Amino acid sequence: MYDAVIIGSGPAGLAAAYAAKQAGLDYVVVERQCIVHTIYRFPTGLVFYSTPELISLGDVPMIVQGLKPTREEALNYYLKFVESQELKVNTYEEVTRISGQDGDFEIESVSQREGNRSYRTRKVILATGAFDSANRIGVPGEELPKVFHYFKEGHPYFDRDVLVVGGKSSAVETALTLYRAGARVTMSYRRGAFRGIKYWVLPDLENRIAEGSITAIMNSTVKEIRQTDVVLEAAGTERVIPNDFVFCMTGHTPDVPFLSGTGVRVQPNDNVPVHDPETFESNVPGIYIIGVITAGNVSSDIFIENSRLHGPKVVEHILGQDEIS
């Protein structure tokens, strides 16, 4: 019988594990992919907006070469954090079912190495993130092999016609990286102006558009993706552009079916799980929600900076309940 099983090994999950260990709780982290999988999926060479001290965990400093950490430096830091703090993390193990009640939950999982497994635990901490399920645009051709919902690097797309769908930071940075790799880039955005973009990135994009290096088709939507072109609708008319690859950078959403399967209610308008903002306990007693998943679709409201504080608050609440009982 564990005191807590933490599902997800992103920064929020690791911070919860660290707090649980410091408090003397018997815990384990179960992760269906690799440690900090979301950060692993970030584009190669990405530079964080945050400074090192704002995304470090516990009292372990993050050492970087520049003013802000890169994706690679962050990946190395979080791996070293798990190793140096001797955190118990089971990777490549997917949780399939959570049943039971506060004080006695049963968690069923499938491990890559060990097959079917089960845990009993007093508390469950869900830190599953909101980036594994990409928002699909729902048009014919989206299933073609040339269509992607994640971006890694620009090198393979030299001298290719590439469409980037979306207009927020991830879409803009994808477009700029592709342009610098020698791709011919077109952006399609359903709004009339870009928004939610890092302040130092926007001038770069505007200059590239002004000089004609990147084509931006505003107030447009994708109607169909075909093998060699894409059909857009803009200003009530169809426009066909040549195309080799499409990157749909239209955001991500929490795994709502998984959450609902635990009994946690999810608000239909924004996919925010019902939870207490102070204790992070969900509508199911004993099940806690932490990390970017607490914001549902509005993942830009929650960053590593503030989500790393969720786990310690949960542990504090668990300890407070133990004192009362």
Side-chain angles (χ1 to χ4, degrees):
M1 173 70 77
Y2 285 97
D3 292 313
V5 170
I6 302 162
I7 303 174
S9 70
L14 296 181
Y18 179 79
K21 181 178 180 180
Q22 294 295 102
L25 298 180
D26 192 8
Y27 74 93
V28 66
V29 180
V30 181
E31 165 61 56
R32 68 177 177 177
Q33 298 286 348
C34 61
I35 292 170
V36 290
H37 181 247
T38 295
I39 295 176
Y40 167 73
R41 299 192 81 157
F42 285 176
T44 302
L46 176 138
V47 178
F48 279 76
Y49 175 83
S50 306
T51 54
E53 60 272 13
L54 292 179
I55 63 172
S56 59
L57 304 179
D59 55 359
V60 181
M62 177 185 291
I63 308 301
V64 300
Q65 291 186 343
L67 294 176
K68 297 178 179 180
T70 64
R71 164 190 175 271
E72 290 69 25
E73 288 172 328
L75 288 175
N76 182 66
Y77 168 79
Y78 291 118
L79 292 181
K80 293 298 184 183
F81 180 81
V82 170
E83 183 179 44
S84 65
Q85 302 307 305
E86 299 181 333
L87 300 182
K88 294 183 288 187
V89 182
N90 295 344
T91 55
Y92 300 100
E93 181 175 342
E94 182 169 7
V95 172
T96 56
R97 186 169 181 264
I98 300 174
S99 58
Q101 59 188 358
D102 190 12
D104 189 7
F105 290 101
E106 182 178 6
I107 295 178
E108 299 173 29
S109 65
V110 179
S111 167
Q112 186 182 74
R113 285 182 174 175
E114 301 181 34
N116 294 332
R117 302 187 68 182
S118 65
Y119 305 85
R120 288 182 63 197
T121 179
R122 296 195 300 122
K123 307 289 184 180
V124 178
I125 302 174
L126 299 179
T128 52
F131 293 98
D132 281 339
S133 301
N135 292 329
R136 299 180 65 84
I137 59 176
V139 301
E142 190 173 5
E143 74 285 350
L144 289 173
K146 71 173 190 173
V147 180
F148 306 95
H149 294 85
Y150 297 90
F151 177 73
K152 197 69 173 176
E153 59 182 348
H155 175 80
Y157 310 102
F158 171 77
D159 196 32
R160 298 287 90 185
D161 293 307
V162 184
L163 174 67
V164 177
V165 183
K168 294 186 179 179
S169 282
S170 61
V172 169
E173 293 183 76
T174 295
L176 289 169
T177 301
L178 287 165
Y179 151 71
R180 293 192 179 95
R184 293 181 292 275
V185 181
T186 299
M187 298 187 70
S188 171
Y189 190 35
R190 61 190 177 90
R191 300 183 183 275
F194 294 103
R195 63 173 192 163
I197 301 173
K198 298 170 184 176
Y199 68 86
W200 66 88
V201 173
L202 184 58
D204 190 4
L205 175 67
E206 291 174 335
N207 288 335
R208 301 294 77 74
I209 293 173
E211 69 186 17
S213 299
I214 293 177
T215 300
I217 305 176
M218 310 302 287
N219 297 307
S220 68
T221 57
V222 179
K223 289 196 64 179
E224 184 180 2
I225 301 171
R226 303 189 293 217
Q227 193 60 48
T228 59
D229 57 33
V230 172
V231 181
L232 301 177
E233 182 174 343
T237 61
E238 288 190 358
R239 178 171 174 178
V240 180
I241 62 172
N243 177 262
D244 298 303
F245 297 97
V246 178
F247 285 93
C248 299
M249 311 305 291
T250 49
H252 304 82
T253 187
D255 189 343
V256 174
F258 176 77
L259 287 171
S260 299
T262 69
V264 173
R265 292 198 301 271
V266 180
Q267 297 177 171
N269 58 320
D270 54 13
N271 287 329
V272 171
V274 174
H275 67 284
D276 185 317
E278 296 298 323
T279 67
F280 297 96
E281 190 170 27
S282 72
N283 62 281
V284 180
I287 296 183
Y288 297 83
I289 309 289
I290 66 171
V292 296
I293 194 174
T294 60
N297 296 338
V298 195
S299 57
S300 59
D301 288 350
I302 302 295
F303 306 90
I304 298 175
E305 295 98 305
N306 48 23
S307 67
R308 65 181 181 156
L309 306 177
H310 295 177
K313 290 185 178 180
V314 169
V315 170
E316 182 180 349
H317 186 250
I318 293 173
L319 294 175
Q321 288 187 325
D322 291 345
E323 288 178 3
I324 293 174
S325 60

